[in-house]
């Protein structure tokens, strides 16, 4: 019986070692690296140990704040469609790297106080957080899935995908800035862009209008509390948008947005810098890659202005 148990243990250990080694090999494939770039988690490998300028938010913050414009000690935690709730979770996870006296930018988009994902939208974004966060900082965490993925991605990835990645390496995908950073908004796409906003952005706001989503508002309060506790200088920032973007929203929705963010600013005793309708940007479409995201030229100009106004 003892020999049987020893043999079983040896087999299990051998299988575990093979899975770990296979997972490590898969993580070095271009397919896995492309997946990380698609899910925007590849940047975490290069996170500074000491961060003096941190940015949180959705893709509006991701594109408006570029490392090249802020220098050493900068890191952007923003991701596509990231909610304030996951801004808070990331701050909890990586707060030990943020230095006392650091600037913490909270990118507040028109949708941010109202954000409420559908179950499908929530699940689509979850996988990226399993890669970078501890279980206690993952909303509705499946602990078993987290353990399996951390031990070996072979356990959470389809066999066909793994085989293809190893036998038929894909070409390494360029990063987001290389693909879209120099893109310029042109009049011929305005109709499609407006339709995108009406189909994707307005419904997010309408779900929790007019009072906002209490989960997201409480997340902002949690962030501001952490900033005060740790001696970080929090600043609420709404980046520049093209006029065509702002015009998509009913005036009463924008008014409610301003009321909620002003209240957060007052409650937390932190400044709110609102560039959403700044005329230096809003009518100059050469600064945007679409109607709600700055391109690299726009981000550089924004950095020059913002650095002069940061407290």
């Amino acid at each position: 019986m003892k020999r049987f148990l020893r043999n079983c243990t040896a087999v299990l250990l051998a299988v575990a070692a093979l899975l770990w080694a296979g997972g490590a090999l898969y993580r070095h494939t271009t397919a896995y690296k492309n997946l990380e770039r698609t899910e925007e988690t590849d940047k975490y490998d290069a996170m500074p140990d000491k961060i003096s300028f941190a940015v949180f938010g959705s893709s509006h913050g991701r594109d408006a704040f570029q490392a090249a414009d802020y220098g050493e000690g900068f890191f952007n935690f923003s991701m596509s469609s990231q909610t304030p709730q996951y801004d808070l979770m990331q701050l909890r996870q990586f707060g030990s790297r943020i230095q006392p006296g650091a600037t913490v930018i909270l990118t507040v988009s028109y949708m941010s106080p109202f954000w409420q994902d559908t179950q499908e939208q929530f699940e689509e974004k979850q996988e990226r957080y399993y890669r970078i966060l501890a279980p206690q900082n993952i909303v509705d965490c499946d602990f078993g899935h987290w353990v399996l993925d951390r031990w070996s991605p072979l356990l959470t990835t389809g066999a066909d995908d793994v085989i293809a990645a190893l036998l038929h390496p894909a070409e390494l995908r360029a990063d987001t800035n290389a693909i879209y950073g120099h893109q310029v908004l042109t009049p011929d796409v305005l109709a499609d862009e407006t339709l995108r906003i009406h189909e994707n952005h307005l419904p997010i706001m309408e779900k929790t209008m007019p009072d906002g989503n209490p989960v997201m508002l409480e997340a902002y309060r949690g962030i501001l509390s952490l900033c005060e506790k740790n001696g970080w200088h929090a600043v609420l920032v709404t980046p520049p948008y093209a006029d065509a973007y702002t015009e998509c929203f009913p005036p009463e929705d924008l008014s409610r947005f301003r009321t909620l963010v002003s209240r957060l600013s007052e409650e937390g005793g932190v400044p709110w810098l609102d560039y959403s309708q700044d005329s230096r940007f809003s009518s100059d479409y050469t600064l945007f890659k679409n109607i709600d995201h700055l391109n690299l030229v726009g981000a550089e100009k924004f950095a020059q202005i913002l650095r002069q106004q940061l407290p």
Side-chain angles (χ1 to χ4, degrees):
M1 185 66 179
K2 289 182 179 179
R3 174 181 288 183
F4 174 75
L5 291 175
R6 283 199 301 269
N7 289 340
C8 288
T9 301
V11 169
L12 288 174
L13 290 173
V15 170
L18 286 172
L19 286 172
W20 183 87
L25 181 64
Y26 174 58
R27 285 192 180 98
H28 284 87
T29 64
T30 52
Y32 188 83
K33 291 176 181 178
N34 285 342
L35 182 62
E36 287 189 307
R37 287 191 172 181
T38 299
E39 295 187 345
E40 304 178 51
T41 57
D42 59 321
K43 62 185 178 183
Y44 288 82
D45 293 333
M47 183 190 300
D49 291 327
K50 296 182 178 181
I51 299 172
S52 57
F53 196 107
V55 178
F56 294 86
S58 64
S59 58
H60 295 162
R62 178 198 66 197
D63 292 347
F65 296 89
Q66 299 293 326
D69 301 323
Y70 293 92
E72 188 176 353
F74 172 91
F75 192 77
N76 196 329
F77 293 92
S78 305
M79 292 190 190
S80 177
S81 299
Q82 181 159 281
T83 66
Q85 189 176 28
Y86 265 117
D87 289 339
L88 174 60
M89 295 300 184
Q90 289 209 66
L91 190 62
R92 288 176 177 173
Q93 179 80 29
F94 301 110
S96 61
R97 299 198 185 198
I98 302 176
Q99 301 299 291
T103 297
V104 175
I105 300 290
L106 308 178
T107 309
V108 187
S109 304
Y110 291 156
M111 301 173 291
S112 300
F114 306 95
W115 205 296
Q116 183 173 329
D117 283 329
T118 64
Q119 187 62 29
E120 182 181 5
Q121 291 167 336
F122 174 78
E123 291 175 356
E124 283 178 356
K125 295 182 287 185
Q126 275 291 85
E127 197 64 34
R128 64 190 183 188
Y129 297 113
Y130 279 91
R131 286 200 176 90
I132 61 172
L133 299 179
Q136 65 269 23
N137 293 322
I138 298 174
V139 180
D140 297 335
C141 180
D142 180 341
F143 184 71
H145 179 84
W146 183 88
V147 170
L148 292 176
D149 190 65
R150 286 301 174 99
W151 181 256
S152 175
L154 300 187
L155 297 170
T156 56
T157 307
D160 291 343
D161 292 335
V162 174
I163 293 170
L166 295 172
L167 298 182
H168 307 288
E171 184 178 346
L172 185 62
R173 173 183 178 271
D175 63 27
T176 301
N177 280 337
I179 299 174
Y180 304 111
H182 297 284
Q183 186 172 307
V184 175
L185 177 62
T186 55
D188 60 295
V189 301
L190 287 180
D192 289 340
E193 280 290 286
T194 299
L195 180 62
R196 174 176 67 88
I197 302 309
H198 280 274
E199 289 182 343
N200 298 335
H201 289 204
L202 268 67
I204 290 175
M205 297 182 70
E206 291 168 358
K207 292 177 185 177
T208 59
M209 190 63 68
D211 297 323
N213 185 341
V215 174
M216 303 307 164
L217 293 171
E218 192 58 31
Y220 275 125
R221 295 186 181 99
I223 292 170
L224 296 178
S225 176
L226 276 177
C227 288
E228 182 180 15
K229 178 180 177 181
N230 289 281
W232 303 324
H233 301 297
V235 185
L236 303 169
V237 177
T238 303
Y241 298 126
D243 286 332
Y245 181 66
T246 298
E247 290 166 0
C248 290
F249 296 87
E252 58 271 22
D253 288 2
L254 295 177
S255 176
R256 191 58 187 160
F257 161 76
R258 294 188 187 95
T259 297
L260 290 174
V261 181
S262 294
R263 186 177 300 162
L264 286 172
S265 174
E266 293 171 4
E267 288 178 3
V270 300
W272 174 32
L273 304 180
D274 182 9
Y275 299 91
S276 60
Q277 298 181 57
D278 191 312
S279 61
R280 291 170 291 185
F281 295 88
S282 61
S283 61
D284 186 354
Y285 287 3
T286 66
L287 302 175
F288 296 88
K289 63 182 184 183
N290 53 33
I291 61 176
D292 57 322
H293 294 86
L294 291 168
N295 58 28
L296 293 178
V297 174
E300 183 179 11
K301 179 176 179 178
F302 180 48
Q304 292 170 355
I305 293 172
L306 180 67
R307 285 199 303 257
Q308 295 176 1
Q309 292 192 264
L310 284 174

